Amino acid sequence: MKYSSQRGTRDILPEDMPVWHAIENTCKTLFELYNYHEIRTPIFEATELFTRSIGQETDIVSKEMYTFTDKGERSLTLRPEATAPVVRAAVQNNLISANRITKLYYVGPMFRYERPQAGRYRQFYQAGVEAFGPKDPALDAEIIILAHEILSHLGIQDLEVDLNSVGCEKCRPAYLENVKSHFSTHLEEMCEDCKNRAEHNPLRIFDCKNPQCKEYIEKAPAVFDSLCSECKDHLEKVISNLDLSNIKYKINKRLVRGLDYYTGTTFEIISKQLGAQNAICGGGRYDDLVSELGGSSVPAVGFAFGIDRLAEILKNASLITHHLPAGRHGASRKLIYIAALGDDAQKAAMDLLQKIRKMGRIAEIDYFSRNLKSQLKEADRLKAKYVIIIGDDELKSGNLILRNMEKATQESIPIPKMLERINLL
Ligand code: HAM
């Protein structure tokens, strides 16, 4: 008797490994330079964790979960994604709170009972990050910049970053009413699933692939057009941060994503080198999920790459990692924290932050607009070895302060010399 791997699963063979290793190493190196820390959660969890977080009416929960009852009569599910498990683990292990930043990353297999096709598997692999604490739009931008940087290190081109906001508890209810009333006049002609979705979760109608529903979906109001001023303002700030970093994006007013937990910013990165399954990265904000899952109210934002799809793009490429910053393996693990005071300083700090990370050094910044004393305290909590202080006075004088946290000594360094000095640390 000969056995084969199950439908939708496959063996990743030794000959495939150079590409897989390049992707995983690039992700891990860059995640760590951005001060994310690895977490590994179990492959299976209580089924309810996913039904509550991803949402009962989503395709993932209603059709695609590998759910089984174990010998103790518990309903368990192979994880279809990692955001909910990471939130569960962060709450259970007291890793997060609303007034400090916690950055976690993961790499591993996920399971969805989807119809297999090129780029769509039942066991597939993701590499992702989740950042908890700040609500600052600069953090949303930071994760998009991180994703972008990983893709450029891998030499992946022809990308499109689609950006949107799905609103918040203030603006979404009115939008959902609008959507409901739009579809109510067409429901007779729409599929059974959509009839059900219109009743329970109208946003999910946008996931429908049925040709008979397409026409009505195209004419439906877009969530982007009903955003409240706060959500608009948040999205604009994400955009201005992306502009500062020269990241190209497209506003996709209809991007809703296939999971219910998102609030505000959502994004996807699409590769033009792939066929129908062309999304290589998806993510966004989920400010209500931690409290939904039993924690206190802690805003969060994250994304996940589909590694299988990245591997497909790279399979014929000549590799790649020679541009990789030394980071995880070579460079010093000493964290450099940038304390910025005021809006202009924040901008200068974001720029410096990216340059330091590009040098292969781990760097972090404050996303809570706190005073200097609190920022130094936070730098201490994060075990930063050095703090660079940028305030209005420093910007005016053109000299930044570099503080050695262990020795409690400070030196004043001209801005153009700062990177050189950091290289010596
Ligand atoms: P997602 O969009 O469902 O988001 O998945 C992220 C990526 O995983 C997709 O863009 C795609 O590349 C890959 N992927 C998904 N399903 C499959 C499949 N069946 N076969 C191959 N690749 C697949 C999430 O999972 C969210 N947890 C992302 C996130 C993190 N949001 C916030 N934090």
Side-chain angles (χ1 to χ4, degrees):
M1 179 71 185
K2 255 193 186 163
Y3 296 96
S4 301
S5 58
Q6 293 300 300
R7 197 167 135 72
T9 72
R10 69 224 170 104
D11 304 305
I12 320 280
L13 299 173
E15 68 198 47
D16 306 320
M17 280 305 155
V19 164
W20 280 71
H21 286 164
I23 296 168
E24 289 166 3
N25 290 339
T26 305
C27 286
K28 286 184 180 174
T29 303
L30 271 291
F31 290 164
E32 296 197 2
L33 288 179
Y34 279 65
N35 204 29
Y36 287 82
H37 300 273
E38 186 174 4
I39 185 164
R40 298 187 192 189
T41 64
I43 297 291
F44 58 83
E45 299 271 356
T47 301
E48 202 193 326
L49 176 70
F50 301 114
T51 50
R52 287 223 39 191
S53 55
I54 300 171
Q56 201 81 50
E57 298 324 307
T58 58
D59 282 354
I60 297 179
V61 168
S62 65
K63 301 180 190 157
E64 297 168 1
M65 296 217 296
Y66 277 94
T67 296
F68 60 98
T69 308
D70 78 352
K71 291 194 168 66
E73 298 296 315
R74 300 171 196 89
S75 178
L76 301 175
T77 293
L78 300 187
R79 61 180 189 193
E81 60 108 48
T83 306
V86 168
V87 171
R88 196 254 327 121
V91 172
Q92 183 179 336
N93 297 287
N94 280 324
L95 302 182
I96 53 178
S97 83
N99 55 10
R100 61 169 207 243
I101 192 162
T102 305
K103 290 171 140 186
L104 303 172
Y105 80 81
Y106 48 86
V107 180
M110 312 291 155
F111 305 85
R112 296 184 194 174
Y113 189 78
E114 294 195 79
R115 203 162 45 77
Q117 63 178 84
R120 191 159 73 192
Y121 305 98
R122 290 181 172 171
Q123 173 168 342
F124 60 98
Y125 294 78
Q126 286 186 345
V129 296
E130 314 292 348
F132 298 92
K135 217 182 146 81
D136 188 343
L139 185 58
D140 309 22
E142 184 196 89
I143 68 164
I144 298 174
I145 294 166
L146 168 58
H148 197 268
E149 193 158 339
I150 289 172
L151 294 169
S152 63
H153 277 296
L154 289 170
I156 296 183
Q157 288 160 353
D158 294 328
L159 298 171
E160 182 178 299
V161 179
D162 280 17
L163 183 65
N164 196 18
S165 167
V166 292
C168 63
E169 81 231 345
K170 276 193 224 141
C171 48
R172 204 163 358 166
Y175 169 69
L176 291 180
E177 280 312 310
N178 258 347
V179 171
K180 248 187 183 168
S181 87
H182 165 83
F183 286 115
S184 64
T185 46
H186 309 295
L187 275 186
E188 277 315 304
E189 296 100 273
M190 296 177 74
C191 72
E192 284 308 309
D193 275 354
C194 282
K195 284 180 191 150
N196 192 29
R197 289 164 172 152
E199 171 109 8
H200 296 108
N201 191 345
L203 216 52
R204 295 278 63 96
I205 295 181
F206 291 96
D207 303 335
C208 183
K209 308 279 178 315
N210 251 319
Q212 74 200 86
C213 304
K214 204 170 157 217
E215 176 191 340
Y216 307 113
I217 291 173
E218 277 167 6
K219 289 189 188 136
V223 58
F224 180 89
D225 294 322
S226 343
L227 297 178
C228 63
S229 55
E230 238 170 79
C231 285
K232 265 192 206 140
D233 184 52
H234 187 98
L235 187 60
E236 272 161 22
K237 289 188 174 135
V238 176
I239 287 172
S240 66
N241 274 286
L242 293 179
D243 287 342
L244 277 178
S245 302
N246 284 325
I247 307 266
K248 304 244 175 324
Y249 53 84
K250 193 181 111 191
I251 297 289
N252 177 349
K253 294 184 176 192
R254 290 176 187 278
L255 178 69
V256 291
R257 309 264 307 122
L259 306 98
D260 276 355
Y261 49 63
Y262 292 108
T263 51
T265 313
T266 46
F267 70 96
E268 263 177 19
I269 304 180
I270 310 290
S271 160
K272 293 179 190 147
Q273 294 176 44
L274 292 174
Q277 302 305 317
N278 60 0
I280 51 176
C281 179
R285 265 207 171 268
Y286 49 97
D287 289 344
D288 301 333
L289 185 60
V290 177
S291 57
E292 279 276 308
L293 296 181
S296 50
S297 175
V298 181
V301 59
F303 71 71
F305 280 118
I307 299 179
D308 308 70
R309 293 182 191 175
L310 297 180
E312 178 60 29
I313 297 174
L314 290 177
K315 94 180 159 207
N316 299 318
S318 56
L319 290 174
I320 341 167
T321 41
H322 51 278
H323 326 285
L324 204 57
R328 205 163 68 99
H329 306 295
S332 144
R333 294 220 27 108
K334 293 172 192 159
L335 174 66
I336 299 166
Y337 189 88
I338 306 179
L341 300 156
D343 285 351
D344 287 344
Q346 186 77 16
K347 271 191 200 130
M350 292 301 282
D351 185 52
L352 185 59
L353 180 71
Q354 278 178 44
K355 289 187 175 134
I356 295 175
R357 286 170 173 163
K358 279 200 165 72
M359 288 165 60
R361 306 297 297 259
I362 304 172
E364 189 54 287
I365 199 169
D366 177 55
Y367 284 107
F368 292 95
S369 311
R370 289 184 274 215
N371 62 27
L372 182 60
K373 196 170 159 219
S374 310
Q375 291 195 47
L376 288 177
K377 221 167 129 192
E378 174 73 351
D380 213 32
R381 186 184 72 79
L382 293 172
K383 301 195 175 67
K385 290 281 184 288
Y386 300 95
V387 175
I388 297 169
I389 300 171
I390 314 180
D392 285 343
D393 289 349
E394 284 73 26
L395 283 182
K396 252 185 238 146
S397 71
N399 289 314
L400 307 185
I401 293 169
L402 178 69
R403 185 181 168 87
N404 181 320
M405 293 295 276
E406 262 164 18
K407 298 188 181 145
T409 52
Q410 293 194 164
E411 51 190 303
S412 174
I413 295 171
I415 295 174
K417 295 265 179 235
M418 185 50 101
L419 292 179
E420 238 170 77
R421 179 70 187 89
I422 287 170
N423 222 358
L424 301 173
L425 297 176

